Amino acid sequence: MKTISLVLGSGGARGYAHVGVIRALEERGYEIKGIAGCSMGALIGGFYAAGKLDDFEEWVSTLSYLDVLKLVDLSLLSSGAIRGDKIFALLSEMLGSVKIEQLKIPYTAVATDLTNQKEVWFNSGPLEQAIRASCSIPSVVRPVVMGNRLLVDGGVLNPLPIAASIAVHADHIFAVDLSAEVPMPEGSLKETQAMKMSHEQEKEGWFAQVRNKAMSFLDREPAQAQAELDANLSKLGVMYQMFDTMQASLTQYKIAGYRPDLLIRIPKNSVSIFEFYRAEAQIQLGYDIALQAIKAFEKGEANTYGQL
């Protein structure tokens, strides 16, 4: 059996594509001997290494737009940040009290230590804690405090942690870039546009609920509450756009420094950060692109990796 060390990059909801990539690798007969991941890559990789990816996929595939909004704990009328307590409590329950050293394969989650300005590689200790630290997007998701360290998303310094996979004894290193400047398949693009339109009504209803809640607790006028809500949503979007742009640039440097044997490219415009209700479509996209890239790799067509 062909063996690989798998690197899963950072990229918010685009990270659902990692599930499809893993499914394609399994179908083609590859054995994953180790995983290194950042942010959503650390999350998906952790569930796979813990033998819980099927449970995760089944759950996320049922999430609706409103389900996601209820889970992310938006403090929209204060700081505009995401607390994340609900979602991480649920993920922790799904994973159980498993430690990284107990996983079936070597696993590394990459976070950033803001206090000491360096990368932190988690390859031991509680899995849930490592995932949470790796997923804490600066100014969007609350950071994790561990001792004298303030830990945030690994994408600040290393959105595609290829170096963390080198020690794994495998035939090849495969990496998944979630920030690639490649086009969306035509069918997927049409589906994305249709889904966005269908969620507008849900969004308007949710705005009304949040606004009314703000009025009752804070004694604010509807217009004032709506204005604050809109401002904080816009602020979150701008902050993540800045972070995402930085990650895309850093990813290219990491690829140049540590060229993987196969680079699977997921379109940067496939979904936006908060579209966690689009799991099924994104998983399928990851599967389709990975399958094409893997077949090209097996034929020695290095220039076609992940291209559409």
Side-chain angles (χ1 to χ4, degrees), residues 113-118 120 144-151:
D113 178 1
L114 289 183
T115 305
N116 299 295
Q117 300 180 351
K118 64 180 183 181
V120 176
V144 172
V145 179
M146 292 182 62
N148 66 340
R149 298 184 300 182
L150 188 65
L151 301 177

Side-chain angles (χ1 to χ4, degrees), residues 114-300:
L114 289 183
T115 305
N116 299 295
Q117 300 180 351
K118 64 180 183 181
E119 289 181 36
V120 176
W121 291 7
F122 287 91
N123 44 39
S124 63
L127 177 59
E128 185 272 336
Q129 187 178 56
I131 291 173
R132 181 159 189 163
S134 186
C135 292
S136 298
I137 303 168
S139 298
V140 178
V141 180
R142 289 197 308 187
V144 172
V145 179
M146 292 182 62
N148 66 340
R149 298 184 300 182
L150 188 65
L151 301 177
V152 297
D153 198 301
V156 171
L157 293 178
N158 194 351
L160 192 64
I162 302 171
S165 70
I166 293 175
V168 175
H169 298 293
D171 297 328
H172 303 289
I173 295 175
F174 287 4
V176 184
D177 174 14
L178 298 178
S179 303
E181 295 290 347
V182 291
M184 283 282 289
E186 185 176 347
S188 297
L189 186 59
K190 289 179 180 178
E191 187 272 342
T192 297
Q193 293 169 340
M195 184 169 287
K196 284 183 177 179
M197 290 180 64
S198 71
H199 286 295
E200 286 304 312
Q201 191 170 6
E202 278 188 280
K203 187 184 295 184
E204 289 175 9
W206 176 74
F207 276 138
Q209 291 177 31
V210 173
R211 183 189 62 199
N212 293 337
K213 185 176 180 180
M215 289 170 57
S216 62
F217 281 97
L218 303 175
D219 194 27
R220 291 177 177 167
E221 293 297 321
Q224 181 184 358
Q226 186 70 57
E228 290 186 35
L229 177 60
D230 290 341
N232 279 319
L233 280 172
S234 177
K235 182 171 66 175
L236 280 177
V238 170
M239 286 189 295
Y240 184 76
Q241 259 192 320
M242 293 170 59
F243 182 64
D244 200 30
T245 300
M246 178 193 72
Q247 284 191 116
S249 180
L250 279 172
T251 295
Q252 298 312 306
Y253 283 107
K254 296 301 178 182
I255 292 169
Y258 298 94
R259 188 74 188 180
D261 296 301
L262 172 61
L263 179 64
I264 298 171
R265 301 182 177 107
I266 304 300
K268 186 178 180 179
N269 66 337
S270 53
V271 296
S272 66
I273 179 178
F274 296 125
E275 292 184 313
F276 286 100
Y277 51 89
R278 293 201 59 230
E280 286 186 300
Q282 192 68 4
I283 290 169
Q284 185 64 47
L285 179 69
Y287 171 83
D288 292 341
I289 292 175
L291 200 59
Q292 181 176 337
I294 294 165
K295 288 179 178 179
F297 171 77
E298 292 170 348
K299 294 177 182 177

Side-chain angles (χ1 to χ4, degrees), residues 59-78:
W59 171 62
V60 298
S61 296
T62 67
L63 293 177
S64 69
Y65 181 85
L66 292 179
D67 290 332
V68 171
L69 290 172
K70 291 173 184 176
L71 282 170
V72 295
D73 281 343
L74 287 171
S75 304
L76 291 174
L77 293 172
S78 53

